[in-house]
Amino acid sequence: MTDITKTDVLIVGAGPVGLFAVFELGLFDMKCHLIDILDRPGGQCAELYPEKPIYDIPGWPSISAQGLVDKLLEQIAPFKPDFTYNRMVSSLEKLEDGGFRVTTDENEVFEAKVVVIAAGGGSFQPKRPPIPGIEPYEGKSVFYSVRRMEDFRGHDLVIVGGGDSALDWTLNLQPVAKSVTLVHRRPEFRAAPDSVNKMYAMQEMKQLAFRVGQVTGLAGADGKLSSAVIKGPDGDVEVPCTRMLPFFGLTMKLGPIAEWGLNLHENLIPVDTEKFQTSVPGIFAVGDINWYPGKLKLILSGFHEVALMAQAAKRIISPGERIVFQYTTSSTSLQKKLGVVET
Amino acid sequence: MTKLTFIAHDGTHFDMDAENGSTVMENAIRNAVPGIEAECGGACACATCHVYVDEAWTALVGEPEAMEEDMLDFAYDVQPNSRLSCQIKVRDALDGLVVRVPARQG
Ligand SMILES: Cc1cc2nc3c(=O)[nH]c(=O)nc-3n(C[C@H](O)[C@H](O)[C@H](O)COP(=O)(O)OP(=O)(O)OC[C@H]3O[C@@H](n4cnc5c(N)ncnc54)[C@H](O)[C@@H]3O)c2cc1C
Ligand code: FES
């Protein structure tokens, strides 16, 4: 029997809206656990535009997207949320006692009284690289992440890309693979200079090959790769290749959410604007993933949504308890929760 | 007004008047040019507004900056005349600019 992690509220997605949900739920004493497929919090802000300034966060004339994420983490710290990263929430089922069971792609099981879907534009997944005819090789010879380094032992490995993932795996898999060829369309990289220098040093010593170019074709049969064609400045070369790791960044895909039995509206989850509840009572949807008349995909709208959602969630978790409206400026009980007054 | 032409992948020409200061991408979206997706709305964060600048114009349009060059790594079939159209601003000197839309975006 697998261990079951229990929590009051399970939040799918640790983007800015999922993070602020922890605050609003925390003010009502609800404990949260967040799951995200990324390896860190922040959703789009952290993954797509960490250094860009945002100008429409109330009270912040300008704040970088990563700066906002850092501030949110500081703000929710008193509520001690739990995080599970690098996991995709794959299923969501209703339990007989009214709660929910959530399972990840690695079969971890969570049970919660309330589920909040703050999944934004969907889960971040690796982009399929622009290589014609790649589909039949995916999952057999072409992989978008490294789960076990052993899977690459003794293989002719081609790694495509110019960021940190491409460089890190080039360096880490070099001792394991039979051969490593790194392919990038130009000699400049978006990776840590230290890794780039190491890679060039290993190339000098003929421990790996770096080729400037783009992969334009693949050869093999039944999902088993045998070689790759690289178009470079001096024309096409064919290199032996039995495993390929392309790193072309991430894109957002709705993913398994479509199979959770919720009503959808053009890949978004319709909610009411009083509770931000989905078609299944006890499951809420906030932030970019939801839809209602007039919806705007703004961080500020998501923040408003979680404040109202928290009231409705409290009514489910503590039925019959009176909900008192309080300000954080003047309520000692809220300030105790925030740890800003002596308890 | 500055004249701007997109040539879609199937060869269809889209001619338009563009306002100076707007981006080439914005004009594609306004005129529903097929093949320009611009998922990130011009933040240089998606590479789905990739175009090939007509050879006659590459010198005038200029080279991408470092951030755009990094983003171009994610585009499909990048050529020496590849640019992200959200990073090209329309100006008088570009009157008559022609850009081609690639077979697919990212
Ligand atoms: C370039 C750019 C500029 C922007 N500028 C602004 C701006 O100036 N002002 C503004 O208000 N907004 C701006 N936005 C929009 C803003 O970033 C979004 O509104 C905001 O990120 C939405 O937050 P969210 O928490 O709802 O979702 P997201 O930030 O999308 O986070 C959702 C998270 O859920 C995870 N997830 C989804 N499904 C699953 C699953 N099944 N399992 C596990 N994890 C899952 C995803 O991996 C992701 O990390 C901008 C967006 C972009 C791309
Ligand atoms: S619109 Fe996203 S990079 Fe140009």
Side-chain angles (χ1 to χ4, degrees):
Chain A
M1 185 71 207
T2 37
D3 287 343
I4 297 179
T5 310
K6 298 206 174 186
T7 181
D8 290 334
V9 182
L10 189 124
I11 303 179
V12 183
V17 179
L19 293 177
F20 195 61
V22 173
F23 185 88
E24 293 293 336
L25 292 159
L27 290 180
F28 291 110
D29 305 307
M30 289 172 276
K31 175 95 175 128
C32 300
H33 194 121
L34 300 94
I35 304 179
D36 203 299
I37 195 166
L38 292 180
D39 59 3
R40 57 193 188 288
Q44 295 175 44
C45 293
E47 180 59 35
L48 298 179
Y49 60 108
E51 274 147 41
K52 292 211 167 75
I54 309 179
Y55 300 104
D56 59 351
I57 303 297
W60 290 93
S62 165
I63 183 168
S64 75
Q66 185 59 48
L68 175 66
V69 174
D70 294 343
K71 285 283 166 202
L72 285 167
L73 288 171
E74 190 185 321
Q75 196 168 20
I76 66 176
F79 301 110
K80 302 190 173 61
D82 293 313
F83 290 94
T84 297
Y85 295 118
N86 299 306
R87 293 292 186 274
M88 175 150 83
V89 173
S90 45
S91 76
L92 168 57
E93 311 150 71
K94 202 168 167 65
L95 299 171
E96 302 234 320
D97 69 1
F100 300 92
R101 173 174 297 151
V102 163
T103 317
T104 70
D105 51 352
E106 291 286 322
N107 291 317
E108 290 119 329
V109 182
F110 295 81
E111 282 182 9
K113 293 170 202 153
V114 161
V115 170
V116 174
I117 303 177
S123 48
F124 277 103
Q125 290 175 19
K127 252 193 204 167
R128 173 176 284 161
I131 303 170
I134 194 169
E135 290 87 346
Y137 298 107
E138 288 175 340
K140 292 182 178 140
S141 306
V142 174
F143 298 91
Y144 295 108
S145 63
V146 178
R147 292 252 153 164
R148 292 180 345 127
M149 286 181 39
E150 273 309 300
D151 297 343
F152 297 83
R153 182 171 296 279
H155 280 281
D156 288 310
L157 172 62
V158 172
I159 296 183
V160 197
D164 281 309
S165 316
L167 265 294
D168 290 351
W169 286 119
T170 298
L171 301 179
N172 289 333
L173 289 170
Q174 190 278 336
V176 178
K178 182 172 157 206
S179 73
V180 177
T181 308
L182 174 65
V183 182
H184 182 45
R185 70 171 184 94
R186 57 196 173 113
E188 293 83 34
F189 290 86
R190 307 179 310 278
D194 185 47
S195 325
V196 178
N197 293 340
K198 275 195 194 134
M199 186 279 292
Y200 277 123
M202 287 169 94
Q203 188 199 20
E204 277 293 301
M205 290 160 72
K206 303 231 178 322
Q207 291 168 336
L208 54 82
F210 166 51
R211 286 185 179 279
V212 173
Q214 301 176 68
V215 178
T216 52
L218 300 174
D222 301 326
K224 282 202 176 137
L225 263 182
S226 54
S227 68
V229 179
I230 301 165
K231 184 170 123 195
D234 317 313
D236 289 358
V237 278
E238 196 166 343
V239 299
C241 170
T242 54
R243 284 279 185 278
M244 180 177 278
L245 277 169
F247 295 106
F248 274 78
L250 301 175
T251 178
M252 295 191 100
K253 292 222 176 86
L254 182 63
I257 294 172
E259 293 142 34
W260 296 348
L262 302 166
N263 290 345
L264 291 181
H265 168 94
E266 292 173 358
N267 279 345
L268 298 170
I269 306 176
V271 291
D272 65 79
T273 49
E274 180 195 342
K275 300 174 177 158
F276 298 92
Q277 189 161 248
T278 67
S279 54
V280 178
I283 304 181
F284 298 86
V286 291
D288 278 14
I289 190 74
N290 75 11
W291 181 84
Y292 50 84
K295 167 74 184 180
L296 290 178
K297 288 189 186 183
L298 287 177
I299 296 168
L300 132 90
S301 311
F303 288 172
H304 158 79
E305 293 162 15
V306 296
L308 271 62
M309 174 279 290
Q311 307 254 337
K314 181 66 180 171
R315 289 200 173 87
I316 293 176
I317 289 187
S318 314
E321 200 175 296
R322 222 176 109 237
I323 297 182
V324 192
F325 175 78
Q326 304 177 92
Y327 290 123
T328 55
T329 31
S330 44
S331 154
T332 343
S333 109
L334 293 185
Q335 287 169 1
K336 277 184 191 155
K337 295 174 195 180
L338 291 167
V340 291
V341 289
E342 300 285 312
T343 42
Chain B
M1 280 293 178
T2 303
K3 295 244 179 274
L4 177 61
T5 299
F6 286 84
I7 305 178
H9 188 62
D10 67 2
T12 317
H13 283 234
F14 291 80
D15 301 312
M16 56 198 75
D17 289 322
E19 213 172 293
N20 282 350
S22 64
T23 69
V24 169
M25 176 280 278
E26 286 167 335
N27 290 284
I29 298 299
R30 240 172 255 153
N31 291 278
V33 175
I36 301 290
E37 292 167 17
E39 268 172 28
C40 79
C44 197
C46 73
T48 62
C49 63
H50 175 204
V51 294
Y52 302 121
V53 174
D54 185 89
E55 302 295 347
W57 291 91
T58 46
L60 263 175
V61 171
E63 298 277 316
E65 290 189 17
M67 181 172 78
E68 181 185 339
E69 193 68 74
D70 281 354
M71 210 16 92
L72 273 169
D73 286 346
F74 301 121
Y76 171 74
D77 196 9
V78 180
Q79 308 282 348
N81 58 339
S82 285
R83 287 292 310 262
L84 294 178
S85 57
C86 69
Q87 302 301 307
I88 309 174
K89 283 233 164 81
V90 174
R91 51 185 196 269
D92 285 337
L94 297 184
D95 191 23
L97 175 66
V98 178
V99 299
R100 290 188 173 73
V101 181
R104 51 175 267 203
Q105 297 285 353

